[in-house]
Amino acid sequence: MKAIAKLKSISSWPTLSLSRPHSLAPIGSRNVPASSSSLLDEFTNFCYRRDLPRAMKAMDAIQRNGIWADSITYSELIKCCLARGAVEEGKLVHNHVFSHGNEPRTFLINTFLGMYVKFNLLDEAQGLFDQMPERNVVSWTTMISAYTNVKLNDKALELLIMMLRQGVVPNMFTFSSVLRACDGLSNLRQLHSRIIKAGLEYDVFVRSALIDIYSKLGELQAALSVFNEVVSGDSVVWNSIIGGLAQNSDGDEALNLYKSMKISGFPPDQSTLTSVLRACTGLALLELGRQVHVHVLKFDRDLILSNALLDMYCKCGSMEDANFVFTRMLEKDVISWSTMIAGLAQNGFSREALKLFQSMKDSGAKPNHITILGVLFACSHAGLVEDGWYYFQSMKKLFGINPGREHYGCIIDLLGRAGKLDQAIKLIHQMESEPDAVTWRTLLGACRVHRNVDLAIHAAKQILKLDPEDAGTYILLSNIYANSQRWDDVTEVRRTMKARGIRKEPGCSWIEVSKKIHAFILGDNSHPQIDEINKQLNQLIHRLMGVGYVPDTNFALQDLEGEQREDSLRYHSEKLAIVFGMMSLSREKTIRIRKNIRICGDCHTFAKLITKIEQRTIVIRDPIRYHHFLDGVCSCGDYW
């Protein structure tokens, strides 16, 4: 399209008096007849009063008279259309402004661009953008941001290149938007370099966006470098770095910066507290999470914060606190319901999870794929084969949700635990998508429980094709061979591991005492109280043997993920953590332990007996689920 003559820049406009909007000159005819003046005044007043029906009628009248209002008045009318979701009315305003060859200012065209973007009408926005005779930085930034928001990252980056070629200089909002479109480190580094050349690296929004995207790509050192370049004078930048660290499971550093943020005089807001709760969740720091809860109360039951708080309590294994938060939430969304259902299931309260799912449906809330995942997990870990199979088969029909890999994984786990291995492998072959390593690991775990060596070997081979460095699979396969007395195969597995430099991950357990984290690792005697802990542990094992405890050497033979030798069976990390908890916490305090690998059967029996003879409550969180031990019984019902 042939470009029309360029209009004056915004800076050259006359000063506008918003106290009398009708006094502004129209964008079309500059000499409005007296007879039409009242029509224009009427239209202008309706626009500023946000009276949409009357404004639209008045707009028809001024259009018939061949007159137009000023750009600011139309921008007010467009705001009114946006507030009411009036798409068709917005299009009518667009048609009116461009009627009879009228040529609106770039400012007003940008306003229409923003309107179409907010109405999610990107085709209309792009069409208008393509026809603009003059595009300024606002025009380009609006479109770049629009494509970024809908994840059309290539299009957003392409527009930035076109913008630069046309000599339009990006501003801080352009860079903040386009940075979110970077899905690779190469593009990000090029953009970062251009930001530095533009002198915008210290802008609050740009720094925040840089930190966010570096964190998203897992480049935490780069994110910290951006943060540390200058002492931050804005909480937005603090929130970005704390959130990035928390999302990348660097909870310790996130919490350290949270403390520094408060010392620097920046009070936490909802965004800060959400990230801090995420850090507490990752580290299972229940006591610190409870302290954050106090700050959350200041924000009048914010839904996002309440959901984060609920998630933290569920994943720290405190279902009493989780239930307290959930029952007092004035507003619940699908995330609230799904978090509580999954929390109950993971903590061993499967039937309660299914009852809550029924309550969710009764409330009218619509489940999503995460909700159904929690329901299937509940069925799997309670051995409810018929219920799980029903929900799996009917999830599409009842809730419009197509089963994904994770749903298949849950139902395969359910069938495998129940010993229905033939059905499990059949289902794997029926999956629409290719089974991943997690799916095959699920089957491998079931084969170990039910001692199906041939199927276990098949599953292990599939895993190692997809993930050749998976130490856990080698260990589990070695353990299966050992239990079947296939020592040559055990030797071959160990030889392969050695040749590839694969080492088994040592078992590690963490316990929080007096707001400090104490870590215990097999073979590590660095804890200052380790001698006393070992002494107390040996005495405790002796007492337990008096009531029938016999160490299960099946778990000393190869063990699941790292504590194999028979002489180390009694020094598994969770046993050390339990004893330290008993030494450090009063009897009424729950001993809460987080473990990096699956709890072994011997330690499971050990924990049950401790709670019975010592009248203690123990909660152990491993990567699979939570075990609540009380009075000699575990919430998992010995089904894990």
Side-chain angles (χ1 to χ4, degrees), residues 357-399:
F357 178 54
Q358 185 61 50
S359 298
M360 177 185 182
K361 292 187 290 182
D362 293 342
S363 75
K366 185 179 179 181
N368 63 11
H369 68 287
I370 300 295
T371 320
I372 303 302
L373 196 60
V375 169
L376 294 177
F377 190 95
C379 295
S380 173
H381 286 262
L384 303 174
V385 178
E386 290 185 8
D387 290 335
W389 191 245
Y390 166 75
Y391 285 121
F392 178 76
Q393 287 188 309
S394 59
M395 59 189 286
K396 173 64 176 177
K397 180 180 178 182
L398 294 178
F399 311 114

Side-chain angles (χ1 to χ4, degrees), residues 123-136:
D123 288 341
E124 285 83 348
Q126 184 66 56
L128 179 58
F129 179 79
D130 290 341
Q131 294 177 19
M132 289 181 72
E134 179 181 356
R135 304 182 189 112
N136 61 17

Side-chain angles (χ1 to χ4, degrees), residues 379-383 385 413-414 416-419 604 625 636-640:
C379 295
S380 173
H381 286 262
V385 178
D413 186 44
L414 172 63
R417 288 171 184 273
H604 196 268
R625 63 175 304 161
C636 75
D638 298 339
Y639 191 82
W640 89 101

Side-chain angles (χ1 to χ4, degrees), residues 416-617:
R417 288 171 184 273
K420 300 179 182 295
L421 297 179
D422 290 341
Q423 284 182 249
I425 189 66
K426 182 180 178 181
L427 188 61
I428 288 177
H429 292 312
Q430 291 175 351
M431 289 175 64
E432 293 184 10
S433 56
E434 283 295 316
D436 59 5
V438 175
T439 306
W440 288 110
R441 283 191 197 103
T442 301
L443 182 65
L444 179 59
C447 292
R448 178 194 62 82
V449 172
H450 296 288
R451 299 179 184 271
N452 189 321
V453 179
D454 292 335
L455 189 54
I457 294 170
H458 174 69
K461 287 180 178 178
Q462 299 304 314
I463 296 168
L464 295 176
K465 281 181 185 177
L466 297 165
D467 186 2
E469 306 298 314
D470 182 15
T473 295
Y474 287 106
I475 298 298
L476 197 50
L477 184 59
S478 177
N479 195 49
I480 291 169
Y481 283 141
N483 283 330
S484 302
Q485 306 294 305
R486 293 172 60 168
W487 302 112
D488 289 343
D489 291 319
V490 171
T491 301
E492 181 59 30
V493 170
R494 289 176 173 173
R495 184 182 296 118
T496 302
M497 290 180 67
K498 186 175 181 180
R500 295 188 176 183
I502 298 170
R503 300 183 63 183
K504 45 193 175 267
E505 181 182 11
C508 183
S509 297
W510 296 266
I511 181 171
E512 180 185 7
V513 173
S514 300
K515 301 178 187 177
K516 292 183 179 180
I517 302 297
H518 297 259
F520 296 91
I521 303 173
L522 178 69
D524 179 11
N525 295 322
S526 61
H527 194 279
Q529 293 174 265
I530 191 64
D531 291 339
E532 181 61 24
I533 293 169
N534 286 334
K535 178 182 177 182
Q536 296 273 359
L537 176 58
N538 288 327
Q539 291 175 354
L540 195 56
I541 289 175
H542 182 72
R543 284 183 57 203
L544 292 178
M545 286 180 170
V547 294
Y549 169 64
V550 178
D552 189 344
T553 55
N554 282 326
F555 297 99
L557 192 64
Q558 274 301 114
D559 201 32
L560 297 182
E561 278 108 350
E563 296 167 333
Q564 290 85 19
R565 284 173 270 172
E566 188 168 355
D567 61 351
S568 71
L569 182 62
R570 67 171 58 209
Y571 299 115
H572 279 193
S573 62
E574 56 265 63
K575 289 190 178 79
L576 298 172
I578 288 171
V579 172
F580 178 70
M582 293 173 62
M583 292 166 51
S584 308
L585 300 172
S586 59
R587 191 174 296 274
E588 62 272 10
K589 287 272 190 180
T590 299
I591 298 171
R592 299 181 185 276
I593 295 166
R594 182 166 63 98
K595 196 171 190 296
N596 66 329
I597 58 176
R598 185 176 180 270
I599 186 173
C600 80
D602 180 67
C603 289
H604 196 268
T605 300
F606 177 86
K608 287 198 299 182
L609 290 173
I610 288 293
T611 60
K612 187 171 184 178
I613 69 168
E614 292 289 331
Q615 296 299 300
R616 304 293 298 243
T617 300

Side-chain angles (χ1 to χ4, degrees), residues 258-325:
Y258 170 58
K259 294 174 186 174
S260 299
M261 178 182 180
K262 292 197 295 182
I263 292 170
S264 299
F266 294 96
D269 58 17
Q270 290 98 321
S271 177
T272 322
L273 295 175
T274 300
S275 296
V276 171
L277 284 170
R278 185 179 287 116
C280 293
T281 301
L283 296 171
L285 296 176
L286 178 61
E287 294 307 317
L288 183 56
R290 283 174 174 157
Q291 291 179 39
V292 177
H293 190 168
V294 176
H295 296 288
V296 170
L297 297 176
K298 300 175 185 176
F299 292 95
D300 195 27
R301 302 190 179 185
D302 177 88
L303 179 60
I304 294 175
L305 267 176
S306 295
N307 284 339
L309 195 61
L310 186 63
D311 187 49
M312 184 273 296
Y313 280 131
C314 286
K315 289 180 179 172
C316 285
S318 181
M319 295 312 298
E320 301 87 354
D321 288 316
N323 189 60
F324 178 87
V325 172

